[in-house]
Amino acid sequence: MRNLIFLWYLYLAFVLRIEALTFHRTDQHTERISGSAGDVLEDNPVGRLKVFVYELPSKYNIKKVQRDSRCLNHMFAAEIYMHRFLLSSPVRTLNPEEADWFYTPVYTTCEYLTPHGHPLPFNSPRMMRSAIQLIASSWPYWNRTQGADHFFIVPHDFGACFHFQEAKAIERGILPLLQHSTLVQTFGQRNHVCLKDGSITIPPYAPPQKIQSHLIPPDTPRSIFVYFRGLFYDSRNDPEGGYYARGARAAVWENFKDNPLFDISTDHPTTYYEDMQRAIFCLCPLGWAPWSPRLVEAVVFGCIPVIIADDIILPFADAIPWEDIGLFVAEKDVPYLDNILTSVPPEEILRKQRLLVNPSMKQAMLFLQPAQPGDAFHQILNGLARKLPHHRKSIYRDNVLNWTAGPVGDVKPW
């Protein structure tokens, strides 16, 4: 059986190599994203909306970074870079009376970081509540709509539920004060307590300079069939097993650790980015949350993302044709991954790779510095522009926010 698998893989690698050479000899023709997705991807938001940025005391943002600069590089850093981008963006207005949207720059993922650099969001609801109380008491615009024309960046594992464990995030729920506002968040899962209607799902932050510094020649053969580096178990937070990643990562390891087609390990080599560029398929399983930076890395490095996260809502889904560029595998089907992936016809693999070469798609997944047209910053603005005009519904006058709602610990002063 192993010999048959190996021979099949050699055949596939040969076919893909021949096609890749042809592809690169023809001026690296890329396949344009078809239909409305391609148009949305290339939209220019400038001139379609104006954003007023509240000037908050530095304790809510800048001082957090000064105290611990690690939050500039973790996967939750979109809240920092979006603030910096907006301060110099042509969509910014200094006149709140002409604003379409209001932005409150609060760095909740910088409040407290573990020794490993991961944010603990336990104080985030109090921090966010404090910021909202400040803008509501200092400016008239929050009270005018109960926050309906305000947006917040909440890049935690489960967004504005502010917890990294799903059960506890569900128990806490979205911060009640944010129920009318638009949430811009990395978390996206259908029919979930922590995703409210109208939210904008964005990619996690991946350092663009670091990614670009690891690019290898585009005609490098993809000699790895399936690639994954990361945890399969989280013995510290899930000592009994089965809860972390809903068992999907454990199933990958238990079924394929000895399979020669699967290059999987908990090691994180210095050649990680280069290895992804040598791989055909990159596994993107859920962890504590359904999303991870592997989605960004796979797209940028042209590795077909194998998405294992039931009911996930992917970043910028109206602009990026995830069904065309990726492969979706149900969590229950992980034990059959080898059969599923070896059954994908070479011509389908090649089409996905041609789409992944499209520079517009790569750009949309990155928070570039300096910002570039079509990048993740602009895709967020596109999402906000498409929600205009606001519907000034009486529901916001009648459904007044309850400032004392939520867990007792969350309403304590910050």
Side-chain angles (χ1 to χ4, degrees), residues 62-78:
I62 296 172
K63 281 190 175 178
K64 297 296 178 189
V65 178
Q66 292 173 343
R67 188 188 68 185
D68 195 336
S69 61
R70 291 179 299 167
C71 55
L72 285 168
N73 295 307
H74 63 38
M75 60 185 173
F76 310 95

Side-chain angles (χ1 to χ4, degrees), residues 295-307:
L295 285 170
V296 177
E297 296 159 352
V299 170
V300 171
F301 292 137
C303 185
I304 298 169
V306 180
I307 299 159

Side-chain angles (χ1 to χ4, degrees), residues 229-250:
R229 291 294 184 272
L231 290 178
F232 298 100
Y233 307 90
D234 188 344
S235 55
R236 184 176 56 182
N237 295 300
D238 182 27
E240 297 181 6
Y243 185 70
Y244 176 63
R246 297 196 282 258
R249 292 198 186 197

Side-chain angles (χ1 to χ4, degrees), residues 277-297:
Q277 294 170 81
R278 296 186 180 98
I280 296 172
F281 294 107
C282 288
L283 301 185
C284 301
L286 74 162
W288 283 111
W291 60 271
S292 83
R294 291 175 191 83
L295 285 170
V296 177
E297 296 159 352

Side-chain angles (χ1 to χ4, degrees), residues 2-316:
R2 275 196 180 186
N3 289 337
L4 287 175
I5 292 175
F6 183 68
L7 288 171
W8 181 92
Y9 179 55
L10 282 179
Y11 166 74
L12 177 62
F14 174 76
V15 170
L16 293 176
R17 176 62 175 154
I18 295 300
E19 291 287 344
L21 287 171
T22 304
F23 173 68
H24 288 288
R25 288 188 190 118
T26 55
D27 298 323
Q28 293 193 4
H29 169 73
T30 65
E31 188 163 333
R32 187 186 185 276
I33 310 303
S34 61
S36 60
D39 298 330
V40 172
L41 191 65
E42 297 169 7
D43 275 353
N44 183 359
V46 176
R48 297 168 55 210
L49 77 167
K50 294 182 179 181
V51 178
F52 180 77
V53 180
Y54 286 113
E55 293 187 17
L56 300 185
S58 60
K59 68 178 183 179
Y60 290 100
N61 40 60
I62 296 172
K63 281 190 175 178
K64 297 296 178 189
V65 178
Q66 292 173 343
R67 188 188 68 185
D68 195 336
S69 61
R70 291 179 299 167
C71 55
L72 285 168
N73 295 307
H74 63 38
M75 60 185 173
F76 310 95
E79 60 184 1
I80 300 171
Y81 292 105
M82 190 67 188
H83 181 204
R84 293 181 177 182
F85 163 72
L86 285 172
L87 290 177
S88 58
S89 170
V91 305
R92 184 189 183 192
T93 178
L94 300 179
N95 178 8
E97 292 296 334
E98 66 176 18
D100 300 297
W101 287 100
F102 295 82
Y103 169 61
T104 308
V106 186
Y107 298 174
T108 56
T109 64
C110 277
E111 170 67 350
Y112 179 74
L113 271 64
T114 69
H116 298 287
H118 301 136
L120 292 178
F122 307 131
N123 286 332
S124 298
R126 294 164 56 202
M127 184 181 181
M128 184 69 80
R129 181 187 297 273
S130 172
I132 294 172
Q133 288 173 330
L134 177 62
I135 63 171
S137 61
S138 304
W139 290 273
Y141 307 105
W142 174 272
N143 297 320
R144 188 174 64 184
T145 64
Q146 299 286 296
D149 50 4
H150 289 55
F151 71 92
F152 294 84
I153 313 293
V154 282
H156 289 275
D157 292 271
F158 289 93
C161 287
F162 296 122
H163 207 288
F164 67 91
Q165 291 184 340
E166 184 173 19
K168 293 181 179 178
I170 291 172
E171 182 181 354
R172 169 176 266 164
I174 293 174
L175 183 68
L177 289 181
L178 296 175
Q179 63 179 294
H180 297 327
S181 303
T182 290
L183 303 182
V184 179
Q185 59 187 61
T186 43
F187 172 74
Q189 183 172 317
R190 284 183 287 275
N191 305 314
H192 199 284
V193 168
C194 299
L195 182 72
K196 66 189 291 289
D197 289 343
S199 297
I200 297 173
T201 308
I202 65 173
Y205 178 78
Q209 290 86 354
K210 182 179 178 182
I211 281 179
Q212 289 162 351
S213 69
H214 286 267
L215 292 174
I216 63 177
D219 58 349
T220 302
R222 291 190 177 268
S223 55
I224 301 170
F225 188 58
V226 183
Y227 189 75
F228 176 80
R229 291 294 184 272
L231 290 178
F232 298 100
Y233 307 90
D234 188 344
S235 55
R236 184 176 56 182
N237 295 300
D238 182 27
E240 297 181 6
Y243 185 70
Y244 176 63
R246 297 196 282 258
R249 292 198 186 197
V252 170
W253 179 251
E254 290 162 8
N255 286 278
F256 304 112
K257 60 186 176 184
D258 297 320
N259 190 311
L261 295 181
F262 284 68
D263 188 344
I264 59 176
S265 171
T266 56
D267 296 334
H268 202 289
T270 56
T271 57
Y272 173 69
Y273 284 158
E274 288 82 359
D275 292 343
M276 291 189 84
Q277 294 170 81
R278 296 186 180 98
I280 296 172
F281 294 107
C282 288
L283 301 185
C284 301
L286 74 162
W288 283 111
W291 60 271
S292 83
R294 291 175 191 83
L295 285 170
V296 177
E297 296 159 352
V299 170
V300 171
F301 292 137
C303 185
I304 298 169
V306 180
I307 299 159
I308 307 169
D310 294 352
D311 296 321
I312 188 173
I313 295 176
L314 290 157
F316 307 138

Side-chain angles (χ1 to χ4, degrees), residues 20 83 137 173 255 259 306 337 341 355 362-363 382 412-413:
H83 181 204
S137 61
N255 286 278
N259 190 311
V306 180
L337 257 179
L341 297 181
L355 287 168
K362 298 176 187 293
Q363 194 139 303
N382 280 335
K412 293 179 180 178

